[in-house]
Amino acid sequence: MQTTIRTTEDGSHTLYVAEMDECYHSTHGAVQESMHVFIRDGLHAFMQQTSGGINVLEIGFGTGLNAFLTLCEAEKWKRPVRYTSLELYPLAADEAVLLNYPEILHADEQWFEKIHRSSWDTEELITPCFTLCKVKADFTRYELQGLYDVIYFDAFSPEKQPELWSEDGFRKIYAHSTHGAVLTTYCAKGAVRRALQSAGFVVERLAGPPGKREILRGAKKLLFQ
């Protein structure tokens, strides 16, 4: 896919895909959105329930922003994270490292570059607290391995990739989730909420980041009152 860099309202970059007429992130703020949806309401929510290592599954590696933010959190809190991300159409590393996330986050540029230059389909230790496994695969056909504590569902919108947002897909994730696992997504559409519920998740609507009224969070048990 051909992409062009765009600057979002919080100063951080996103990529625009002309053939899909879609950006990888909210134009109201890429970093702002990812911190709100996936780190605060996903990773942090699970971290408050338990201690020790965390297994993260991401659907849609994209620009690597969620992985980078999670790495920064793992190092900050000294919590070991094993991060598995599925992506069918990976960006070229030379393209991805042009994004300004290390500058915006005041974080180590080498970490971000190492995330993108690490090999696909191989587990690699990026930092002492962060192990990455990028998988080039179609989520609808890929057989998940192991169990996950936190799931970032960050595929392109249901209008652009409806096959990724099916009840069958969420059932597959549910079967590979630990008891108490947390799934977050930026999409709050009723059809997505119902698909998550039918798959077994207890789902709640949460306030969204700027530009989005609500997001969804699911749990494998009722963690949130």
Side-chain angles (χ1 to χ4, degrees):
M1 293 186 292
Q2 294 295 317
T3 61
T4 54
I5 292 177
R6 291 189 175 181
T7 301
T8 65
E9 290 179 11
D10 68 358
S12 60
H13 286 159
T14 190
L15 292 174
Y16 173 71
V17 184
E19 64 193 86
M20 298 180 71
D21 189 26
E22 185 100 335
C23 286
Y24 277 71
H25 310 94
S26 168
T27 57
H28 294 278
V31 165
Q32 183 174 247
E33 176 190 43
S34 289
M35 281 296 299
H36 184 118
V37 177
F38 301 110
I39 303 303
R40 191 193 77 180
D41 288 341
L43 182 67
H44 286 176
F46 184 81
M47 288 172 69
Q48 291 168 11
Q49 309 296 324
T50 185
S51 60
I54 300 172
N55 285 334
V56 177
L57 172 66
E58 178 184 40
I59 308 302
F61 182 74
T63 65
L65 174 56
N66 294 334
F68 188 45
L69 290 170
T70 304
L71 183 158
C72 292
E73 293 297 308
E75 289 296 324
K76 175 182 176 182
W77 297 103
K78 301 305 177 188
R79 297 280 296 271
V81 172
R82 184 179 183 274
Y83 194 102
T84 302
S85 186
L86 274 58
E87 176 62 62
L88 185 57
Y89 302 107
L91 296 172
D94 287 344
E95 178 183 11
V97 297
L98 298 177
L99 299 166
N100 68 352
Y101 304 141
E103 176 187 349
I104 292 292
L105 295 166
H106 306 290
D108 193 331
E109 185 177 349
Q110 292 183 354
W111 288 351
F112 188 59
E113 183 159 351
K114 195 171 180 182
I115 282 173
H116 281 287
R117 298 202 185 280
S118 63
S119 299
W120 285 82
D121 302 310
T122 301
E123 190 170 276
E124 292 196 21
L125 187 68
I126 306 298
T127 70
C129 289
F130 189 83
T131 302
L132 175 64
C133 184
K134 299 183 300 186
V135 182
K136 185 177 180 181
D138 180 345
F139 168 62
T140 64
R141 299 182 178 183
Y142 183 73
E143 294 295 327
L144 294 174
Q145 305 294 321
L147 295 173
Y148 299 95
D149 306 305
V150 178
I151 301 95
Y152 303 157
F153 204 91
D154 199 18
F156 282 117
S157 69
E159 291 80 10
K160 306 298 181 180
Q161 293 184 315
E163 69 280 3
L164 298 182
W165 299 83
S166 71
E167 181 183 326
D168 286 345
F170 290 133
R171 284 188 182 279
K172 179 164 63 174
I173 292 173
Y174 188 87
H176 287 270
S177 299
T178 57
H179 192 58
V182 175
L183 178 151
T184 53
T185 181
Y186 65 88
C187 183
K189 289 184 176 297
V192 173
R193 176 178 55 81
R194 290 188 292 273
L196 282 165
Q197 290 173 328
S198 295
F201 288 99
V202 177
V203 183
E204 60 180 336
R205 295 181 182 272
L206 303 176
K212 184 170 288 292
R213 188 166 63 90
E214 293 178 327
I215 65 170
L216 296 179
R217 178 167 65 190
K220 195 161 183 174
K221 67 174 182 177
L222 187 55
L223 291 176
F224 313 106
Q225 302 296 331

